[in-house]
Amino acid sequence: MARTLPGTSRGVLDARTARDRFHVTRIAPSPGLAPFVEFLWVLTWDLRGRPPHRQRVLTRPSVHMTFTSYLTSGATRARIVGVVRDEFVEEIAGEGRVVGAAFRPGGFRPFLGAPVSAVTGRTPAVAEVFGPAGHRLGEEIFGTPDADGAVARLEAFLLGRCPPGPDPRALRAARIVERIAASPALTRVDDLAAELGIGPRGLQRLFREYVGVGPKWVIRRHRMLEAAGRAAAGTEIDWAALAAELGYADQAHFTRDFTASVGTSPARYARRQRGPA
């Protein structure tokens, strides 16, 4: 597939098991779409003769546009997946395919025409956001058997609706999210706001408008992504030291947050990553 990106999406939990259940390909967007879309993606699975698989994902502050074909049953689903604050669990069975676009923080704002927080925690149909054109797009993608062709149709649809250029405030929101992701030691909204030279309330308004969730959630989620990534690496971890590094006052609070986000304690999750799939 052209413009394929290496690796898989960060946040897929129990990745060793996941690799045996489905395959994900990420595709770089064309230059005209790149300011708005981080990557396009195709997920395929074939579990015929095997039990269904429930996949848990530690979500990032990203909106996705997805087109799911359940090939075994013939069912289809086209939806916008707003930022998911809590757990995201998807069950797959039989054989199927998902074609999707992962928008950059702030990147979905011009397509939605409203604050991104309007779809946070929601999964409206593509046709609800894009009208009859969105419905037709779903029919075209579902009717396209090859993944390359389906991705090309989705990309052409979005390119046809791109504004002349990105919103400077959206670019700023995206850069701030990148700053948070790259800085595990950054744990407080007030510290981030001071570093940026913006008031905490102004930062919160920017995030509600363009990211869909507040900066506090983004900071905490990226700290959990960091912790889950280290737990999956297979090396011994001093959990008390990691909790302190990620800004927690004590290990117990860190463990509660990790368990709520990942579904099990950090030590147990780490052991599971070293065990058989």
Side-chain angles (χ1 to χ4, degrees), residues 22-111:
F22 58 84
H23 178 73
V24 180
T25 301
R26 300 192 306 165
I27 305 103
S30 61
L33 197 57
F36 309 96
V37 171
E38 183 177 1
F39 57 88
L40 300 133
W41 55 277
V42 177
L43 184 151
T44 57
W45 71 89
D46 188 348
L47 296 175
R48 289 173 295 178
R50 303 174 68 183
H53 172 67
R54 285 174 59 83
Q55 180 60 50
R56 190 170 182 140
V57 178
L58 195 56
T59 58
R60 300 187 303 153
S62 178
V63 175
H64 288 253
M65 183 175 179
T66 66
F67 298 83
T68 305
S69 305
Y70 299 95
L71 302 177
T72 304
S73 66
T76 59
R77 183 181 66 194
R79 64 180 185 172
I80 305 298
V81 182
V83 178
V84 180
R85 291 192 188 93
D86 301 314
E87 70 172 3
F88 182 83
V89 180
E90 187 80 359
E91 181 170 292
I92 55 176
E95 183 183 12
R97 180 185 80 182
V98 185
V99 176
F103 290 84
R104 297 185 184 279
F108 193 60
R109 176 66 176 80
F111 298 93

Side-chain angles (χ1 to χ4, degrees), residues 10 21-22 36 89 98 100 133 163 179 187 189 191 212 219 242 247:
R10 188 184 187 195
R21 306 302 194 270
F22 58 84
F36 309 96
V89 180
V98 185
R179 171 78 177 91
T187 60
V189 174
D191 293 341
I219 289 173
L242 179 58

